[in-house]
Amino acid sequence: MTFKDLDLNEDLLQAIEHMGFVNPTPIQSKAIPAILEKKDLIACAQTGTGKTAAFILPVLNELAEHNDARLSTLIIVPTRELAIQIDQEIQGLSYFVSVGSIAIYGGGSGKDWDDQRAALKDGVEIVVATPGKLLSHIAQGVDFSHIKHLILDEADKMLDMGFADDILNVISKLPGDRQNLMFSATMPPKIRDLAKRILKDPVEISLSISKPAAGVKQTVFFTFDEQKIPLISSVLKDREDYSSIIIFTSSKSKVNEIVHNLRKKGFKATGVSSNLNQDEREEVLRGFRSKRIRILVATDVMSRGIDIKDINLVINYDVPYDAEDYVHRIGRTARANTKGEAITLVNEKDMRRLNQIQRLIEAEIPRQELPEELGKGPEFRVEVKKKRKPFHGKNGNRKFKSQKSSEQ
């Protein structure tokens, strides 16, 4: 199947061809026809599968055919990075179509707020927004009477971040007669519950739930914390031909520490986290995209919010708290059927989380020995709680105590 088989507008097909796309991905080939038929949809697919174009193309197709230059499409996302990424993709795909869009998110200047207000007031067809900032604009008055499409992207992440009430608040301001599209990387019960409240007889699409892309070579090292920087240094020296490397940590406080230690080892690393303002973060990401920055150290906020091609290597400095975030982190590499490498450093405290990841992806991640000069790392041990066994206290009453054992 090619995009020409999807009965899309000629101007839109020209933009798709201009961007070098020929064949739709599986999520695109399944979602686009259903959306064009005005059906509600709930779709579950891993990161890097082309979800954004799956909902943007049919929306642009309708606007190309019947555009009255009013706000008709609202896309709600969890992070500013994702809002910017989607807005940029809209601009690329609408190159030959007269459609306007704007990304609305927090962390900007007063001028950003004024620009957003002006766009909402003067008329823009597509708004991509984070929930909190959108509610701030709604409090000042926004005309949602012509909304035809509501899209929730990364719905699972938004619920994890506590945005459920904000989302429902926004939805209460929208007209009832609209098309609803929900995209999520996972499908836990809370997503099903939200879907029941929002969607009407939806088409369901589920592709490769919570599985890393086939092109990712995954490796685990068991390390003590003091071995992590020396190990990363060894890995980087062995991969001097890699032009794009991202190192993830679960704590923004560790970003500067990792950058500082890598620079002491002679590596030009740059950090990005929520401690930077929006202009600074965008400047760092531009440098990473252009390959001026080879090594980027980032928090999990970046794991879903950046769309950068040709990342050779993802290093998990520590194991993410949520097993799902592991899939999103390593999904930054091996995108669009390419190859990539993902290395995870596991200390004694993170071994339980490694088990959770392996259960989620239904595979054991290959383990590699540390370089000899670093010495031995910790043994693989995961403490598990057994069922509490009753014992009798002094007064004869049954009591319980927990016992721990170890899995080797």
Side-chain angles (χ1 to χ4, degrees), residues 153-276:
D153 193 22
E154 300 284 14
D156 54 344
K157 189 66 172 179
M158 284 196 283
L159 295 192
D160 288 342
M161 295 171 69
F163 285 135
D165 290 341
D166 287 349
I167 292 170
L168 293 174
N169 192 354
V170 171
I171 290 173
S172 71
K173 316 294 183 186
L174 307 181
D177 184 19
R178 64 178 189 270
Q179 184 179 35
N180 304 288
L181 311 174
M182 182 183 293
F183 287 78
S184 181
T186 61
M187 202 59 63
K190 59 188 176 182
I191 289 294
R192 293 284 182 186
D193 292 341
L194 181 63
K196 289 177 183 178
R197 301 181 68 172
I198 298 174
L199 308 181
K200 302 172 184 176
D201 191 25
V203 173
E204 293 194 24
I205 300 172
S206 182
L207 298 174
S208 302
I209 299 176
S210 301
K211 298 293 188 296
V216 182
K217 177 187 176 184
Q218 302 175 69
T219 306
V220 164
F221 286 94
F222 294 129
T223 69
F224 295 109
D225 286 344
E226 60 270 20
Q227 295 172 314
K228 288 185 176 182
I229 292 297
L231 174 59
I232 292 175
S233 299
S234 176
V235 167
L236 296 178
K237 288 176 182 176
D238 290 342
R239 292 159 178 80
E240 292 182 347
D241 57 324
Y242 284 7
S243 61
S244 190
I245 299 163
I246 186 165
I247 301 172
F248 281 114
T249 176
S250 297
S251 169
K252 63 183 180 182
S253 64
K254 289 184 182 179
V255 170
N256 288 338
E257 176 187 338
I258 295 169
V259 169
H260 175 71
N261 287 328
L262 286 177
R263 287 179 176 175
K264 284 173 61 178
K265 296 283 187 179
F267 298 101
K268 295 181 179 178
T270 302
V272 60
S273 73
S274 58
N275 285 340
L276 300 181

Side-chain angles (χ1 to χ4, degrees), residues 289-308:
R289 286 191 181 94
S290 66
K291 303 293 192 293
R292 287 186 289 109
I293 294 173
R294 176 177 176 245
I295 303 170
L296 181 69
V297 183
T299 57
D300 283 314
V301 172
M302 298 287 108
S303 67
R304 299 195 189 208
I306 57 174
D307 185 19
I308 298 175

Side-chain angles (χ1 to χ4, degrees), residues 63 68 70-74 124-126 146-149:
L63 291 175
D68 58 5
R70 291 184 290 193
L71 176 55
S72 67
T73 302
L74 177 60
V124 63
E125 290 86 349
I126 303 175
H146 299 284
I147 290 289
K148 297 179 181 177
H149 311 281

